[in-house]
Amino acid sequence: MAAEYTISDLSAEFDITTRTIRFYEEKGLLSPRREGSSRIYTPADRTKLRLILRGKRLGFTLEESRSIIDMYDPEAGNHEQMQSLLAKIREKRHQLEQQLHDIEVMMLDLRDSEERCLEAMASPDQSAKQS
């Protein structure tokens, strides 16, 4: 593993744009050192980027990812960080389960509405009598 990375190295490794990396830098999530106009990223920056992208895939906001990353404390065994991450994972799973339930209810409503429309179109006399 390299001791330093360029923005192009990280962009290629994580299949993201350099603009995305600069955005995370602007938000204060990454802090590369500068050598002239070049950004030099450390292994810690690379790890933070990996965690940010993982958080994004899990549906975390940047602030949620930041708060979890900022809790990193290997001397304390990262217990607080893991507890916070576990709570966020459970919260996101609960939100997704609720969204799935809402979608299932909506699908049933759509099927019911579709069937009523098809029935009404199949018997125009029936729909005229109901008016």
Side-chain angles (χ1 to χ4, degrees):
M1 184 179 335
E4 297 180 336
Y5 306 90
T6 65
I7 196 167
S8 297
D9 293 336
L10 295 178
S11 174
E13 178 179 352
F14 293 106
D15 195 26
I16 57 175
T17 64
T18 56
R19 185 170 186 248
T20 298
I21 297 171
R22 286 191 299 272
F23 173 77
Y24 295 142
E25 184 181 337
E26 289 169 17
K27 294 296 182 183
L29 294 162
L30 299 173
S31 306
R33 80 172 193 277
R34 298 288 189 138
E35 285 184 9
S37 63
S38 297
R39 292 168 166 85
I40 305 299
Y41 297 88
T42 65
D45 291 320
R46 180 182 168 276
T47 299
K48 283 182 184 180
L49 181 57
R50 184 173 47 84
L51 294 173
I52 292 164
L53 296 172
R54 181 179 296 156
K56 184 178 174 185
R57 279 194 318 273
L58 294 173
F60 296 169
T61 65
L62 284 180
E63 282 307 311
E64 289 170 328
S65 290
R66 178 196 312 268
S67 69
I68 292 168
I69 290 167
D70 287 348
M71 289 179 187
Y72 181 70
D73 184 10
E75 292 178 13
N78 293 315
H79 185 73
E80 184 180 351
Q81 182 188 40
M82 290 297 128
Q83 289 290 14
S84 179
L85 179 58
L86 188 57
K88 284 290 173 199
I89 288 170
R90 288 176 176 159
E91 178 184 327
K92 292 296 176 189
R93 185 174 39 210
H94 176 74
Q95 288 173 353
L96 288 172
E97 287 169 349
Q98 183 60 51
Q99 288 175 342
L100 182 59
H101 172 75
D102 293 346
I103 289 169
E104 289 169 346
V105 168
M106 188 179 291
M107 289 295 290
L108 290 173
D109 288 345
L110 287 169
R111 281 188 200 113
D112 183 51
S113 294
E114 181 181 30
E115 286 176 13
R116 287 176 188 224
C117 285
L118 290 171
E119 288 171 5
M121 287 176 16
S123 57
D125 293 339
Q126 194 69 346
S127 61
K129 289 179 186 176
Q130 291 177 357
S131 317

